[in-house]
Amino acid sequence: MKRKIYLSNTSLSKAQEIFWNAALKKEPGVEEIAVFEAAGRVTAEPVFARLSSPHYHAAAMDGIAVKSSDTFGATATTPLRLRLEENAFYIDTGGSLPPGCDAVIMIEDVFFPDKERPDVIEIREPAAPWQHVRSIGEDIVATEMILPSYHRLRPFDLGALLNGGIFKLNVLRKPRVSLIPTGSELIEPPGEPQPGQIIESNSHVFSAAVREWGAQPKRFPIIRDDSDRLEEVLLKAAEESDLILISAGSSAGRKDFTVKVLDKLGEVLIHGVAIKPGKPVILAMIGSIPVVGLPGYPVAAYVALELFVKPFLYRWQKQTPPKRTVLKSYSSRRVLSSLKEEEYLRLKMGKVEDKFVATPLPRGSGVSMSLVRADGVTTISQNKEGIEPGEEIQVELWRARVEIENTIVCLGSHDLSLDILSDHLKKRYDYTLSSAHLGSMGGIMALKRGETHLAGIHLLDEESGLYNIPYLKRYLPEMELVLVHLAQRELGLMLEKKNRGKITSIEDLAGGNIVFVNRQKGAGTRLYLDFMLKRKGISPADITGYEREEYNHLSVAAAVKAGSADAGLGIRAAAEALGLEFVPLARESYELAVPVSFYNSPKCGALLEVIGSDAFRKAVERMGGYDLTRSGEIVWRSHSDNS
Amino acid sequence: MKRKIYLSNTSLSKAQEIFWNAALKKEPGVEEIAVFEAAGRVTAEPVFARLSSPHYHAAAMDGIAVKSSDTFGATATTPLRLRLEENAFYIDTGGSLPPGCDAVIMIEDVFFPDKERPDVIEIREPAAPWQHVRSIGEDIVATEMILPSYHRLRPFDLGALLNGGIFKLNVLRKPRVSLIPTGSELIEPPGEPQPGQIIESNSHVFSAAVREWGAQPKRFPIIRDDSDRLEEVLLKAAEESDLILISAGSSAGRKDFTVKVLDKLGEVLIHGVAIKPGKPVILAMIGSIPVVGLPGYPVAAYVALELFVKPFLYRWQKQTPPKRTVLKSYSSRRVLSSLKEEEYLRLKMGKVEDKFVATPLPRGSGVSMSLVRADGVTTISQNKEGIEPGEEIQVELWRARVEIENTIVCLGSHDLSLDILSDHLKKRYDYTLSSAHLGSMGGIMALKRGETHLAGIHLLDEESGLYNIPYLKRYLPEMELVLVHLAQRELGLMLEKKNRGKITSIEDLAGGNIVFVNRQKGAGTRLYLDFMLKRKGISPADITGYEREEYNHLSVAAAVKAGSADAGLGIRAAAEALGLEFVPLARESYELAVPVSFYNSPKCGALLEVIGSDAFRKAVERMGGYDLTRSGEIVWRSHSDNS
């Protein structure tokens, strides 16, 4: 079976250079459009004014138009009289000066000396030539250049063009981008996918993205794994496009024939770039039309889109690609990175005390939520082995800096109520709650390192049977803290409905017949399990699947739901969300550990207000398994007791 | 005549506060749209996943699906055999794992021990459970929150929604903005305005701007000065809008009845804000619908739009208004500002050596080109009397910082060829040439203060009869400079065609019968005039209009064309552009004085290449009166001669 295609490892800058050189040779097209429709478009040539603005001598004030030389000699003691409609003329702002006039006297400075003679006016100082007059061309002189070539039109540019008598202009045609989704496993949305089927989403992302970058997308229907059909569609697309994007099939697998088809129809410039995610990208030309073969995984596809398609489209339109703000930040975790590629790491950000802290998001190229949740991206260069915790990194921001400054960071245990809290907070304040799931102990360590505003924890102390307080005393003895109760929640075993009655206790997990799915080390739920196993004298080795770790309640529930495990430990709300059977084992306190410095901030004030609101309580309790009677209560303050 | 309406002087922050409080009470509307169309829209509620992604256990690699427990014990020395379609199954990336399988072995690690038996495979290491498998919910777990409320959708958000099985969602309805242009002097574009008539442009600027800010504009036809009609249209607009913008009529003049109409139909919150330009703004409510009356002058209107309408629209959509980058810069000139208002000063920017230099643009609220040319804006607060030359100021950037860094600043004399040069440079390089017109002496002083990259000068030395070099030696003795020839141009008198033959020399200007229009002090053309007057023994007092100053050749030509002057001094190209008679008096050298430090930069290299290009020479010579035979020649270097 011949299925190995060589994937090169060309560096990003080299690949980009090769691509620009080949792809940007052709001059962009030009079209004439009305000025009204031109916002956001790019001038194809300089635009010269046809009319001056003003195109006549215009009064800049409401008043009386005069010939200035008629007014010389007027003073407060020797006022001068003029006659309306003879040598003085009422004029409104914007009005055209009557012939012979060269100045305007403001209406406030005009007096009527004789009540019987409303046509006689008096002035008490002379008018300087051209006073209160907008002379011809003050704004724009006919023939002057209003806009140069290759200028992207902003709203007020349209105003200047209209003022200069320009109603139509030549602009660069929008680059036409053909989007070709490929793969027999894809189904068109809306639609209900069967196992092995995937909803085609990438081309819709590409479509929205290239539109944002000034292009006109055209999406083709999904092409099944059929190289003849792909060939046919590519030839058609090449006739009507300035760029072709092929989604998926760019890798080197059995069904990845895109590169072969491109090689047949044109020239493959690059197959494989040393970036991660995004490595299996194809850069090719069909005649003078550039083609980018994008990976099928959504994150890989998007990274390649940003690195190749976005700059191409800006350059095609003769514009400098916009740069995102770069912010100095500190990584909250260690990240190991391959020396084979440059890695684009998505990050959650927050400003804790005076520094910006960045927490890496899941790195899989299939995790589209890592794009959704990202506040920014950092690049780990090819010759770097990774990032140390606390290391200074440069982050390209995906959200406005002010939004990140308005983010409340909550690292620690996962609870579904945090999502609800985040939503309610955002609805009522300009603040965002950003939670990353490190487990309760992870949250405590993040507090210790000053990487989070607060930590969500639920830690049962083996000796005292108390929740949370003993851990804070033990691990954060120096820190001034407030412990705020968020919720009581039910913890228990999640099972498929069919296993109801078969598993009723922790003891039933042992023995090898039941496949379990566990939580990660440091999670409060994991600590509870270990505590119970110890108490009951059960060895972890007796539990099949003990070593399989998931990072939150919903993922455990999903594993059970999918039948890849028979049971997992988690909260009732997660079980109910996925329609699983739930065997309650304990009620635990999920609480927020908040340093006093943050507790006294307006941000925390807003958060506590939302926690105490009826709307939030009701929304959480609706999920099932939650008791919010005491939510918002201060459970404990450090340094205020000596117990 | 009762025409005084009180214009208040409310501070900006107070006016904004009053407006937000009244205008943002109403909740925004909601509509359901397809995910495909949702980019840029704002979620009205949290969006929860309907499906997990993946929604089945998916192979993450091309290879063989197996049950991991079947593979335990395999090593390089004790390989293990499996049978295809029995306990090993071909699978492609993305494929669904067959029932019972929980791992994938990469195809590279699969061996075929027996050529006769293609169904028998061999493996040489065990598969770990879940290796190379994307398990259900790895990306998204059904029921999890994909997006919170009030989230503006980005392209990749659409991907995550589709992956989570969401095809439609509720978003905030776009705010509907009615635009009502008013004024009997307005004509609809396209159209040829007569004196006293103005092309209506503001509403088109508003339309493009509010669209950029997420709104749906609707423009009404122009309303003549007719308060009944305005009333009628306002009532109609109030029924179908979330915001109404009235263009012009917001001031306190004879025809400014907008405020009276609004007072009748609803409540006027504010009339007059302490900002410049933009003071005569009206903020009002008709029932629950906010109305902004914007000034008629384009700059005033745009400033008010940015300060009131933009933040309103963002807040209506529950978004934080974006902030522009703020850059520390240094003013190149003195600016005096009133203590009555906060002033928004438009600026041209450039990076000279290591600092950003800002040059104020014309401040008139009717100069729409000051918006077009602006690189940024600085605010002079109400309690500040102005800005000193060299003073540090904070500039809000209107262009990307990188574009400003790529700008070549040329302060000094005005020449039409600079516009052509700017256009050709932009077409061929990522550089922009920004020229502000200070006159030749202004350019030399700007070089001295380090505020410009180069200066365009044409200065005739009275004693030697030489151009430029004597001035550079006299005023910039310490500076290492290169003087580059740009063009020889014809200088002469510009007249209306009908005055042909009546004015043939400088002498003809004296005596009082001829109205002259002059250039500003420090302009090379002004110096030439003064030189000639002195030589011929004519006193400036003998020339009518000597004191009327215009800032560039085209403005002088425009004044002559409009009949407000009989003659002016300028270059042939300006006369030809406006169809004037031209009486040549001299040929002068227009040259560029370039500090050596800048001369050696890549930016200057690009500029010189364009200056030397045939395309540029031909384009300039086409204007008439130019000789570019020597363009690009180095005329002189300081410190290289001792003459």
Side-chain angles (χ1 to χ4, degrees):
Chain A
M1 214 160 71
K2 190 186 167 228
R3 53 192 298 190
K4 289 304 294 173
I5 300 170
Y6 177 68
L7 259 184
S8 78
N9 205 41
T10 314
S11 74
L12 173 63
S13 56
K14 185 75 189 162
Q16 284 177 327
E17 192 194 321
I18 289 169
F19 188 53
W20 307 153
N21 282 342
L24 288 166
K25 267 186 195 150
K26 216 177 135 191
E27 279 300 301
V30 172
E31 63 182 345
E32 192 185 55
I33 61 168
V35 166
F36 315 132
E37 297 158 4
R41 303 297 294 273
V42 175
T43 56
E45 58 193 19
V47 186
F48 298 96
R50 208 173 49 79
L51 302 177
S52 293
S53 172
H55 59 98
Y56 57 89
H57 292 310
M61 294 278 181
D62 287 353
I64 303 289
V66 296
K67 185 172 186 177
S68 59
S69 57
D70 290 348
T71 68
F72 293 163
T75 67
T77 49
T78 60
L80 193 139
R81 292 188 175 192
L82 297 168
R83 191 111 170 251
L84 287 169
E85 298 305 312
E86 196 181 292
N87 54 5
F89 307 85
Y90 274 127
I91 195 162
D92 287 316
T93 305
S96 179
L97 257 61
C101 292
D102 66 353
V104 170
I105 299 172
M106 276 162 55
I107 195 68
E108 290 86 333
D109 297 330
V110 173
F111 302 88
F112 295 86
D114 186 345
K115 279 192 175 169
E116 307 298 309
R117 296 285 306 276
D119 60 326
V120 173
I121 62 163
E122 188 179 282
I123 56 169
R124 296 171 190 175
E125 55 183 313
W130 305 105
Q131 81 174 22
H132 305 318
V133 173
R134 296 184 62 223
S135 56
I136 292 176
E138 179 193 284
D139 182 2
I140 299 169
V141 177
T143 78
E144 94 170 269
M145 191 190 291
I146 300 179
L147 298 173
S149 306
Y150 304 155
H151 172 88
R152 192 182 283 279
L153 290 122
R154 300 154 299 176
F156 45 74
D157 294 328
L158 311 189
L161 291 173
L162 294 173
N163 296 342
I166 303 298
F167 306 117
K168 288 181 168 194
L169 78 165
N170 283 328
V171 295
L172 301 184
R173 191 170 40 61
K174 286 186 179 195
R176 298 159 305 176
V177 180
S178 289
L179 312 172
I180 306 177
T182 70
S184 292
E185 73 282 16
L186 299 179
I187 64 163
E188 292 281 4
E192 293 307 306
Q194 300 305 308
Q197 291 187 327
I198 295 171
I199 297 165
E200 203 288 301
S201 63
N202 282 356
S203 73
H204 297 287
V205 175
F206 302 167
S207 177
V210 302
R211 202 184 289 276
E212 195 178 301
W213 301 329
Q216 184 59 53
K218 176 183 172 177
R219 181 180 181 274
F220 284 75
I222 294 164
I223 298 183
R224 309 283 149 213
D225 295 336
D226 172 349
S227 65
D228 292 344
R229 178 75 187 127
L230 178 60
E231 212 175 302
E232 203 177 295
V233 170
L234 275 173
L235 287 173
K236 180 174 184 308
E239 278 171 26
E240 53 184 52
S241 315
D242 301 301
L243 174 69
I244 300 172
L245 302 182
I246 306 174
S247 177
S250 71
S251 200
R254 186 163 50 154
K255 293 179 179 168
D256 299 323
F257 43 73
T258 304
V259 76
K260 287 182 204 151
V261 171
L262 287 170
D263 193 47
K264 180 177 167 195
L265 298 183
E267 184 194 359
V268 174
L269 305 168
I270 298 281
H271 185 203
V273 178
I275 52 173
K276 184 187 166 185
K279 183 174 166 61
V281 72
I282 303 170
L283 304 169
M285 300 292 297
I286 299 182
S288 63
I289 307 302
V291 183
V292 181
L294 292 157
Y297 282 130
V299 185
Y302 192 78
V303 167
L305 203 68
E306 281 254 351
L307 294 174
F308 293 101
V309 177
K310 181 180 179 181
F312 169 82
L313 290 175
Y314 275 90
R315 284 160 171 254
W316 195 94
Q317 297 170 85
K318 312 290 184 181
Q319 304 297 300
T320 308
K323 282 187 184 168
R324 295 202 171 93
T325 307
V326 172
L327 198 64
K328 189 174 75 177
S329 311
Y330 299 89
S331 175
S332 68
R333 301 201 216 166
R334 168 171 290 125
V335 176
L336 297 178
S337 180
S338 159
L339 291 176
K340 278 188 249 157
E341 299 107 5
E342 186 163 289
E343 179 165 358
Y344 292 80
L345 191 67
R346 283 84 66 211
L347 302 160
K348 268 307 237 189
M349 308 273 296
K351 190 177 187 183
V352 182
E353 302 288 339
D354 280 335
K355 65 182 188 181
F356 287 91
V357 177
T359 301
L361 283 159
R363 293 155 76 190
S365 61
V367 185
S368 67
M369 287 302 287
S370 70
L371 295 171
V372 173
R373 295 202 172 109
D375 297 323
V377 165
T378 195
T379 308
I380 307 176
S381 65
Q382 201 175 338
N383 55 18
K384 205 162 177 300
E385 286 188 309
I387 299 172
E388 292 302 308
E391 186 175 328
E392 182 182 315
I393 54 175
Q394 300 299 320
V395 179
E396 210 188 89
L397 294 188
W398 280 22
R399 294 202 299 156
R401 183 183 162 134
V402 59
E403 285 179 61
I404 290 165
E405 287 173 347
N406 285 340
T407 294
I408 299 173
V409 182
C410 178
L411 302 183
S413 168
H414 169 246
D415 188 78
L416 295 175
S417 65
L418 293 179
D419 280 351
I420 310 279
L421 185 55
S422 151
D423 186 57
H424 283 240
L425 182 71
K426 174 130 192 179
K427 267 187 157 155
R428 293 181 45 180
Y429 292 93
D430 258 352
Y431 297 133
T432 304
L433 179 71
S434 158
S435 55
H437 308 146
L438 313 184
S440 294
M441 282 308 298
I444 286 182
M445 291 304 131
L447 275 180
K448 190 168 195 149
R449 292 191 301 264
E451 290 167 2
T452 185
H453 291 123
L454 67 162
I457 57 175
H458 59 111
L459 289 162
L460 176 61
D461 181 51
E462 297 193 15
E463 284 172 35
S464 64
L466 277 176
Y467 266 93
N468 302 324
I469 301 168
Y471 283 83
L472 295 178
K473 285 184 180 171
R474 196 176 314 141
Y475 291 99
L476 303 170
E478 304 300 329
M479 197 175 266
E480 277 199 77
L481 288 167
V482 176
L483 186 65
V484 178
H485 183 82
L486 188 65
Q488 282 256 331
R489 59 186 199 179
E490 280 183 85
L491 188 68
L493 291 169
M494 304 191 276
L495 322 170
E496 276 216 81
K497 291 276 183 207
K498 64 173 188 197
N499 285 330
R500 184 178 184 164
K502 282 213 275 187
I503 307 167
T504 58
S505 68
I506 294 280
E507 288 89 333
D508 291 344
L509 300 177
N513 292 325
I514 299 297
V515 178
F516 183 70
V517 54
N518 208 348
R519 288 291 306 280
Q520 87 281 14
K521 290 171 203 71
T525 305
R526 168 78 166 253
L527 289 174
Y528 173 83
L529 175 73
D530 292 346
F531 169 66
M532 292 304 286
L533 292 179
K534 201 168 159 192
R535 178 188 277 184
K536 293 175 194 264
I538 303 168
S539 159
D542 292 341
I543 297 181
T544 308
Y546 179 88
E547 62 295 326
R548 180 175 173 202
E549 300 183 347
E550 292 290 345
Y551 277 78
N552 62 59
H553 297 284
L554 277 173
S555 301
V556 170
V560 174
K561 178 76 180 175
S564 73
D566 299 314
L569 198 59
I571 55 176
R572 182 188 284 273
E576 293 199 353
L578 296 195
L580 296 175
E581 186 67 21
F582 184 74
V583 181
L585 296 177
R587 294 181 70 82
E588 58 173 16
S589 292
Y590 185 91
E591 293 168 334
L592 303 173
V594 191
V596 166
S597 55
F598 183 69
Y599 184 79
N600 293 323
S601 71
K603 271 186 208 164
C604 193
L607 190 73
L608 293 172
E609 209 213 284
V610 174
I611 290 174
S613 71
D614 262 7
F616 169 68
R617 286 182 184 170
K618 281 183 187 151
V620 175
E621 288 181 346
R622 257 199 302 276
M623 291 193 295
Y626 280 93
D627 175 355
L628 269 79
T629 318
R630 290 170 55 216
S631 68
E633 222 172 75
I634 294 179
V635 178
W636 176 78
R637 281 174 190 273
S638 65
H639 304 274
S640 66
D641 70 0
N642 297 307
S643 63
Chain B
M1 212 156 75
K2 190 186 168 229
R3 52 194 298 187
K4 289 304 293 172
I5 299 169
Y6 177 69
L7 261 182
S8 78
N9 205 42
T10 313
S11 75
L12 173 63
S13 57
K14 184 74 190 164
Q16 284 176 327
E17 193 195 322
I18 289 170
F19 187 53
W20 307 153
N21 282 343
L24 289 165
K25 269 187 194 150
K26 216 176 136 191
E27 278 300 301
V30 172
E31 62 183 346
E32 191 184 57
I33 61 170
V35 166
F36 315 133
E37 297 159 3
R41 302 298 293 273
V42 175
T43 56
E45 59 194 17
V47 186
F48 299 96
R50 209 172 50 80
L51 302 177
S52 293
S53 171
H55 59 100
Y56 56 91
H57 292 310
M61 294 278 183
D62 286 353
I64 304 288
V66 296
K67 185 172 186 175
S68 57
S69 57
D70 289 351
T71 68
F72 294 163
T75 68
T77 49
T78 59
L80 194 137
R81 289 188 179 194
L82 297 168
R83 191 114 169 249
L84 285 170
E85 298 306 311
E86 197 180 292
N87 54 5
F89 307 85
Y90 274 128
I91 194 162
D92 288 317
T93 305
S96 179
L97 257 61
C101 292
D102 66 353
V104 171
I105 299 172
M106 278 163 54
I107 196 67
E108 290 86 334
D109 297 331
V110 173
F111 302 89
F112 296 85
D114 185 345
K115 277 194 176 167
E116 308 298 309
R117 296 284 308 274
D119 59 328
V120 173
I121 62 164
E122 189 179 282
I123 55 170
R124 297 173 188 174
E125 55 183 311
W130 305 104
Q131 82 174 21
H132 304 318
V133 174
R134 296 183 61 222
S135 58
I136 293 178
E138 179 192 284
D139 182 3
I140 299 170
V141 177
T143 78
E144 96 170 89
M145 191 191 292
I146 301 179
L147 298 173
S149 306
Y150 303 156
H151 173 89
R152 192 183 285 278
L153 290 123
R154 299 153 302 175
F156 44 73
D157 293 328
L158 310 189
L161 290 173
L162 294 173
N163 296 343
I166 302 297
F167 306 117
K168 287 182 169 192
L169 79 165
N170 283 328
V171 295
L172 301 185
R173 189 168 42 61
K174 287 189 178 191
R176 298 160 304 176
V177 180
S178 289
L179 313 172
I180 306 177
T182 70
S184 292
E185 73 282 13
L186 299 179
I187 64 164
E188 292 281 4
E192 292 308 306
Q194 299 306 307
Q197 290 187 328
I198 295 171
I199 298 164
E200 203 287 302
S201 63
N202 282 357
S203 73
H204 297 287
V205 174
F206 303 167
S207 177
V210 303
R211 202 184 291 277
E212 195 178 299
W213 300 330
Q216 184 59 54
K218 176 183 173 180
R219 181 181 180 273
F220 283 76
I222 294 164
I223 298 184
R224 310 283 149 214
D225 296 334
D226 171 350
S227 65
D228 292 343
R229 179 75 187 126
L230 178 60
E231 212 175 302
E232 204 177 294
V233 170
L234 276 173
L235 287 173
K236 181 172 184 311
E239 276 171 27
E240 53 184 51
S241 316
D242 300 302
L243 173 69
I244 300 171
L245 302 182
I246 306 174
S247 177
S250 71
S251 198
R254 187 162 51 153
K255 291 177 179 170
D256 298 324
F257 44 72
T258 304
V259 76
K260 286 182 204 150
V261 171
L262 287 170
D263 192 48
K264 182 178 165 192
L265 298 183
E267 186 193 359
V268 174
L269 304 169
I270 298 281
H271 184 202
V273 179
I275 53 172
K276 182 184 167 185
K279 183 175 166 59
V281 73
I282 303 170
L283 304 169
M285 298 294 294
I286 299 181
S288 64
I289 307 305
V291 184
V292 181
L294 292 157
Y297 282 130
V299 185
Y302 192 78
V303 167
L305 202 70
E306 283 254 349
L307 294 175
F308 294 101
V309 177
K310 182 180 180 181
F312 168 82
L313 290 175
Y314 276 88
R315 285 161 172 251
W316 194 94
Q317 296 169 85
K318 312 289 182 182
Q319 303 297 300
T320 308
K323 281 186 185 172
R324 295 202 171 95
T325 307
V326 172
L327 197 64
K328 188 174 77 175
S329 312
Y330 298 89
S331 175
S332 70
R333 300 202 217 166
R334 169 171 290 125
V335 176
L336 297 178
S337 180
S338 158
L339 292 175
K340 277 187 249 160
E341 298 106 6
E342 186 162 290
E343 179 166 356
Y344 293 81
L345 191 66
R346 282 84 66 210
L347 302 159
K348 268 309 237 188
M349 309 270 299
K351 191 178 187 183
V352 182
E353 302 288 339
D354 281 334
K355 65 182 187 181
F356 287 92
V357 177
T359 301
L361 283 159
R363 294 155 76 191
S365 61
V367 184
S368 68
M369 288 300 288
S370 70
L371 295 171
V372 173
R373 295 202 172 108
D375 297 323
V377 165
T378 194
T379 308
I380 308 175
S381 66
Q382 202 176 337
N383 56 17
K384 206 162 175 301
E385 287 188 309
I387 299 173
E388 291 302 307
E391 185 175 328
E392 183 182 314
I393 53 175
Q394 300 300 320
V395 180
E396 207 187 273
L397 294 187
W398 280 23
R399 294 201 299 156
R401 183 183 162 133
V402 59
E403 286 180 60
I404 290 166
E405 286 172 346
N406 284 340
T407 294
I408 300 174
V409 181
C410 179
L411 302 183
S413 170
H414 169 248
D415 189 78
L416 295 175
S417 66
L418 293 179
D419 280 351
I420 309 280
L421 185 56
S422 151
D423 186 57
H424 283 240
L425 183 71
K426 175 130 194 180
K427 267 186 156 154
R428 295 179 48 179
Y429 292 93
D430 259 350
Y431 297 133
T432 304
L433 179 71
S434 156
S435 55
H437 309 145
L438 312 185
S440 293
M441 282 309 298
I444 286 184
M445 292 304 129
L447 276 179
K448 189 166 196 151
R449 292 191 301 264
E451 292 166 1
T452 186
H453 291 124
L454 67 161
I457 57 175
H458 59 110
L459 289 162
L460 175 60
D461 180 52
E462 297 192 15
E463 283 171 35
S464 64
L466 280 174
Y467 266 93
N468 302 326
I469 301 168
Y471 283 83
L472 296 178
K473 287 186 179 170
R474 198 177 312 145
Y475 291 99
L476 303 169
E478 304 300 329
M479 196 174 268
E480 275 200 78
L481 288 167
V482 176
L483 186 66
V484 178
H485 184 83
L486 187 67
Q488 281 257 329
R489 59 185 199 180
E490 280 184 84
L491 187 69
L493 291 168
M494 304 191 276
L495 322 171
E496 276 215 82
K497 292 275 182 207
K498 66 174 186 194
N499 285 330
R500 183 178 186 166
K502 284 214 275 185
I503 308 167
T504 58
S505 69
I506 293 280
E507 288 89 335
D508 292 343
L509 300 177
N513 292 325
I514 301 296
V515 178
F516 184 70
V517 54
N518 208 348
R519 287 291 306 280
Q520 87 280 16
K521 289 170 204 72
T525 305
R526 169 78 166 251
L527 290 175
Y528 173 84
L529 176 72
D530 292 345
F531 169 65
M532 293 304 286
L533 291 179
K534 202 169 156 188
R535 178 189 276 186
K536 293 176 193 264
I538 302 169
S539 158
D542 292 341
I543 297 180
T544 307
Y546 180 88
E547 63 295 326
R548 180 175 174 201
E549 298 183 346
E550 291 291 345
Y551 277 78
N552 63 58
H553 297 284
L554 276 173
S555 301
V556 170
V560 174
K561 179 76 178 176
S564 74
D566 299 314
L569 198 60
I571 56 175
R572 181 188 285 273
E576 292 197 355
L578 296 195
L580 296 175
E581 186 66 21
F582 183 74
V583 181
L585 297 176
R587 292 180 72 82
E588 57 173 16
S589 293
Y590 185 91
E591 292 168 337
L592 302 173
V594 190
V596 166
S597 55
F598 182 71
Y599 185 80
N600 293 323
S601 70
K603 271 186 207 165
C604 193
L607 190 73
L608 292 172
E609 208 213 286
V610 174
I611 289 174
S613 72
D614 262 6
F616 169 68
R617 284 183 185 171
K618 281 182 188 152
V620 175
E621 289 181 343
R622 258 201 302 277
M623 291 193 294
Y626 280 93
D627 176 356
L628 270 79
T629 318
R630 292 169 55 216
S631 67
E633 222 173 75
I634 294 179
V635 177
W636 177 77
R637 282 175 191 272
S638 64
H639 304 273
S640 67
D641 70 0
N642 297 307
S643 62

